[in-house]
Each structure stands twice: as C-alpha cells, then as structure tokens.
Amino acid sequence: MASRPERQPGIAHPRLPLPEGPEDLLAFQRWLEEAIPMVAALGIQAMSEEEGALIWQLALAPSLNDKGTGFGGALTAQATLQGWCWVTLFLRQQGLQRDVVVADASQRFIAPVTDNYRMICTPEEPAGAQRLVDKLQTRGKGSITLKQQLFCGDTLCFEATGRYVVLANT
C-alpha cells in the first residue's frame, strides 16, 4: 500500500477543488485528514449539514483522559476545527476559496463526556452568515462568530464560541 507523503512545515496543502453541486462531506473529511494530519486522530465518524448547522458524530475513545471521560484539550481542538470547517464549507457554497483562521475562542465545560457524542456548530447570531457575505463583498474580508455545542445523548456537556476570520485575497 502506498503511503501518503508527509506534510512539511511552511508548505501549504493543495486546496480541494470547489464542488459542482452539493458538497461531498466524506471527500471533504478525507481531504481534511490529509491537510491537517491530527484530524485523523480526532474520532470524527460522520459529518452532516442541516439548516445552516454543521453536525459531527464523534467517538469518545480517541479523546479519553485519565478519568475515562472526554479530554478537554481534545474537545477544544474539535470545536476549533469544526468552526474552521463551518466557515470553509460556507465559503465553498458561495464559490469562494479563501484562507480562514481562528482569531479567538472560549470554552465552557458543563458535564463530563462519558460516551460517543455529537457536536453542532452554528452562527452565534442568525444574521451572522449574511453579515459575513456582506463584509466579503464590501471589504474583501470579514469575520463570523460561531458556537459549538457538544451533546452526549440529550445532555449538553460542552459549549464553545470562536471568532473566525476570512482573510482578504492576496
């Protein structure tokens, strides 16, 4: 079996071509695992989109801590990445290939994560996506604040917010 070439610091990974219709989230996830090597270890089992939300199903096993519950650092990494993915996928739906970075983020740990879970990412404000589109059209760059919520069954265990910046084309 052929091995993938190792990623090198300072060398950007090739962008995934824009879709010619609905996004193939499985293809996006495979590309993501190549572009950001640690993604393969995060336990993402499935991605879906529903009414402006990006929803992930995740396995707990790769993110266990010494107590047998979800490790806060792993949950934080997942939330940060999910926000980046939300913005990247949103831009792709608009026909745009742009660089996205997280500017700031915060987390709140509410209950232990004790089983496989789902994480849901949405704009913090209902008009956030349209405001981002408007900023991109008028200024060439913009930002959006997203929230991530992690549920074990019906129990909310973790919340995060992050402000993601879409950089101007250079």
Side-chain angles (χ1 to χ4, degrees):
M1 182 158 55
S3 65
R4 292 184 203 165
E6 227 177 273
R7 290 293 319 279
Q8 298 296 316
I11 299 174
H13 189 73
R15 292 183 192 257
L16 184 64
L18 288 171
E20 293 183 16
E23 188 78 49
D24 178 344
L25 292 177
L26 188 55
F28 179 79
Q29 184 176 345
R30 283 193 298 266
W31 171 83
L32 192 62
E33 290 172 356
E34 290 177 9
I36 305 171
M38 76 174 277
V39 170
L42 292 179
I44 302 168
Q45 296 177 319
M47 292 186 188
S48 62
E49 292 180 297
E50 186 177 310
E51 299 178 14
L54 179 60
I55 303 165
W56 287 1
Q57 302 296 326
L58 296 112
L60 176 58
S63 300
L64 285 172
N65 64 18
D66 59 317
K67 295 160 207 57
T69 60
F71 173 58
L75 305 178
T76 298
Q78 291 164 348
T80 302
L81 177 66
Q82 190 184 39
W84 181 91
C85 288
W86 188 99
V87 177
T88 299
L89 289 166
F90 177 77
L91 292 172
R92 291 171 59 77
Q93 291 167 359
Q94 311 304 308
L96 300 172
Q97 296 261 22
R98 300 288 284 279
D99 287 329
V100 176
V101 297
V102 61
D104 52 67
S106 64
Q107 303 79 35
R108 187 168 74 103
F109 300 89
I110 302 163
V113 177
T114 57
D115 201 350
N116 294 344
Y117 50 97
R118 76 185 179 288
M119 191 175 284
I120 302 168
C121 180
T122 58
E124 187 174 58
E125 298 176 14
Q130 185 58 53
R131 253 197 311 274
L132 176 59
V133 168
D134 294 345
K135 287 180 189 175
L136 292 172
Q137 289 174 346
T138 59
R139 298 179 52 213
K141 61 184 178 178
S143 68
I144 186 169
T145 300
L146 301 173
K147 65 179 177 181
Q148 296 84 19
Q149 294 181 305
L150 182 158
F151 293 89
C152 281
D154 293 331
T155 303
L156 177 63
C157 299
F158 170 88
E159 289 183 313
T161 59
R163 186 171 58 88
Y164 295 81
V165 175
V166 179
L167 302 176
N169 276 335
T170 54

